[in-house]
Amino acid sequence: MVGKIIKGIGGFYYVDTKTGVFECHAKGLFRNKKEKPLVGDMVEVEEVPDTEKEMVGQILRILPRKNELIRPLVSNIDQAALVFAVKDPDPSFPLIDRFLLHLEAREIPCMLFFNKRDLLSGCEEDYREKMQRIYEKAGIPVYFFQSNTKEDREEILKLLKGKTTVFSGPSGVGKSSMINLLLEDRRMETGSLSEKIKRGKNTTRHAEFFSLGEDSYVLDTPGFTSLFPPDISPENLRYFYPEFEEYRQSCRYNTCYHLGEKKQDCGVKQAVEKGEIAIERYESYKSLYQEIVEERKNY
């Protein structure tokens, strides 16, 4: 049988197949090859007779992975939903871009979900237009949810259908509550938001995929308050800002990093001044560029 590892705990792997979920051991040959199955792996399994349990199996082979994440350590992700709150806590543009870089470096398409829509109290349209202006030119679709309505549930399910989706974002923005809405009767544990620091208590303790229907899976990840940029060189960071591309052709120098150059020599700086590139994205680019440079000095 072929199935997907949806959870791994205490040396056991739980593999979702067309005939149900099997509790599996990995064969010793994986240890000999220094291979380790990951949550998200597609694997070949065979059923093993057990006098005490049903649906027991053994993993025979790990099928080729199309990608893998390090935080959390999972594989075969089709897309990511980055969840931020419109308020409480307020979204951090540099942190959003850190998450985007982390995923885009692994060629994982991203969506931005802004939760707690009700906190906008009358200024929703202005806020929506602002976020779409900032991110949609970068090819990042933006959606707004309350994560407790039937209408929102149906819209989110359409976006996740037929995909393996990882939910990511900082603590306290409602990721787990949003997934609870999708799962309905299969509730995940959620934590309360700390009034003092406006951060959520992280309740995601291990990587586990939940099925939302045929070939549709969702994974919650620990809430990160910081995330170092992935292994991207300072010179290549500019290529991870797709909205820069059309203006980069107007730069006087091919090696233009859109930082120390004079404005008249840099098409990207001119586009920022005209409002054609969001200032929030450009400032985030400058901050991350400097951080990567500083990190490399420490190696």
Side-chain angles (χ1 to χ4, degrees), residues 103-219:
L103 294 157
E104 288 172 355
R106 290 155 181 83
E107 299 184 349
I108 297 173
C110 300
M111 305 175 285
L112 262 176
F113 287 2
F114 285 100
N115 199 18
K116 307 185 184 182
R117 184 180 58 204
D118 61 313
L119 297 181
L120 292 175
S121 62
C123 59
E124 180 178 343
E125 287 306 313
D126 291 342
Y127 193 94
R128 185 187 297 264
E129 288 178 9
K130 174 185 176 181
M131 292 304 180
Q132 289 173 339
R133 174 182 56 82
I134 293 172
Y135 290 103
E136 289 194 339
K137 197 160 187 179
I140 310 297
V142 176
Y143 303 91
F144 288 80
F145 297 110
Q146 185 51 36
S147 81
N148 64 359
T149 69
K150 181 179 179 180
E151 292 76 17
D152 280 357
R153 180 178 187 273
E154 293 306 312
E155 185 177 354
I156 296 170
L157 285 174
K158 287 178 184 177
L159 295 170
L160 308 186
K161 187 175 181 180
K163 304 281 188 181
T164 294
T165 306
V166 59
F167 273 60
S168 200
S171 300
V173 298
K175 296 190 313 298
S176 295
S177 296
M178 187 175 285
I179 296 175
N180 282 346
L181 177 74
L182 302 175
L183 295 175
E184 291 188 318
D185 57 336
R186 295 165 291 158
R187 297 287 178 180
M188 297 170 59
E189 181 186 0
T190 57
S192 60
L193 187 68
S194 166
E195 280 299 317
K196 183 177 180 181
I197 62 173
K198 297 296 184 182
R199 289 181 189 159
K201 297 175 183 177
N202 180 18
T203 57
T204 308
R205 296 186 177 90
H206 61 265
E208 180 175 357
F209 283 106
F210 293 88
S211 175
L212 297 175
E214 188 174 358
D215 297 325
S216 300
Y217 296 90
V218 64
L219 167 75

Side-chain angles (χ1 to χ4, degrees), residues 5-10 12-14 37-41 69-75 77 166-167 188 202-210 218-222 224:
I5 298 178
I6 58 173
K7 180 170 62 173
I9 298 179
F12 290 96
Y13 299 92
Y14 296 84
L38 299 181
V39 173
D41 278 346
L69 288 176
I70 297 173
R71 296 181 66 184
L73 190 55
V74 295
S75 66
I77 303 299
V166 59
F167 273 60
M188 297 170 59
N202 180 18
T203 57
T204 308
R205 296 186 177 90
H206 61 265
E208 180 175 357
F209 283 106
F210 293 88
V218 64
L219 167 75
D220 191 12
T221 64
F224 304 129

Side-chain angles (χ1 to χ4, degrees), residues 23-295:
E23 181 183 270
C24 297
H25 279 293
K27 291 188 69 173
L29 63 88
F30 295 118
R31 288 192 296 274
N32 298 335
K33 293 180 180 179
K34 295 184 178 179
E35 291 182 352
K36 182 178 180 179
L38 299 181
V39 173
D41 278 346
M42 297 299 296
V43 294
E44 286 184 359
V45 300
E46 67 175 358
E47 189 167 6
V48 176
D50 191 297
T51 57
E52 297 181 359
K53 298 179 182 177
E54 296 181 350
M55 308 290 282
V56 175
Q58 181 174 245
I59 297 174
L60 303 176
R61 185 164 75 96
I62 301 171
L63 302 184
R65 295 168 183 154
K66 68 179 181 180
N67 57 39
E68 62 181 80
L69 288 176
I70 297 173
R71 296 181 66 184
L73 190 55
V74 295
S75 66
N76 297 323
I77 303 299
D78 293 319
Q79 62 182 6
L82 301 184
V83 184
F84 283 77
V86 298
K87 289 183 179 180
D88 293 337
D90 291 342
S92 161
F93 295 108
L95 185 56
I96 291 174
D97 283 2
R98 284 171 181 267
F99 278 102
L100 290 174
L101 284 172
H102 185 71
L103 294 157
E104 288 172 355
R106 290 155 181 83
E107 299 184 349
I108 297 173
C110 300
M111 305 175 285
L112 262 176
F113 287 2
F114 285 100
N115 199 18
K116 307 185 184 182
R117 184 180 58 204
D118 61 313
L119 297 181
L120 292 175
S121 62
C123 59
E124 180 178 343
E125 287 306 313
D126 291 342
Y127 193 94
R128 185 187 297 264
E129 288 178 9
K130 174 185 176 181
M131 292 304 180
Q132 289 173 339
R133 174 182 56 82
I134 293 172
Y135 290 103
E136 289 194 339
K137 197 160 187 179
I140 310 297
V142 176
Y143 303 91
F144 288 80
F145 297 110
Q146 185 51 36
S147 81
N148 64 359
T149 69
K150 181 179 179 180
E151 292 76 17
D152 280 357
R153 180 178 187 273
E154 293 306 312
E155 185 177 354
I156 296 170
L157 285 174
K158 287 178 184 177
L159 295 170
L160 308 186
K161 187 175 181 180
K163 304 281 188 181
T164 294
T165 306
V166 59
F167 273 60
S168 200
S171 300
V173 298
K175 296 190 313 298
S176 295
S177 296
M178 187 175 285
I179 296 175
N180 282 346
L181 177 74
L182 302 175
L183 295 175
E184 291 188 318
D185 57 336
R186 295 165 291 158
R187 297 287 178 180
M188 297 170 59
E189 181 186 0
T190 57
S192 60
L193 187 68
S194 166
E195 280 299 317
K196 183 177 180 181
I197 62 173
K198 297 296 184 182
R199 289 181 189 159
K201 297 175 183 177
N202 180 18
T203 57
T204 308
R205 296 186 177 90
H206 61 265
E208 180 175 357
F209 283 106
F210 293 88
S211 175
L212 297 175
E214 188 174 358
D215 297 325
S216 300
Y217 296 90
V218 64
L219 167 75
D220 191 12
T221 64
F224 304 129
T225 54
S226 64
L227 192 70
F228 284 107
D231 189 21
I232 298 173
S233 69
E235 298 79 14
N236 287 334
L237 180 63
R238 53 189 165 158
Y239 301 121
F240 288 86
Y241 285 75
E243 64 268 52
F244 289 7
E245 193 60 28
E246 66 175 289
Y247 304 102
R248 212 166 50 79
Q249 312 305 319
S250 302
C251 293
R252 182 174 181 181
Y253 306 107
N254 290 333
T255 57
C256 184
Y257 297 141
H258 326 306
L259 296 167
E261 300 83 1
K262 294 179 180 178
K263 185 172 63 180
Q264 61 265 32
D265 293 334
C266 177
V268 169
K269 283 187 173 182
Q270 293 170 27
V272 173
E273 186 176 64
K274 295 175 184 175
E276 295 168 354
I277 291 175
I279 185 66
E280 292 87 352
R281 287 276 285 174
Y282 180 67
E283 291 297 326
S284 171
Y285 166 75
K286 290 199 301 182
S287 174
L288 287 169
Y289 181 96
Q290 189 58 43
E291 183 172 339
I292 295 171
V293 168
E294 292 300 320
E295 281 292 311

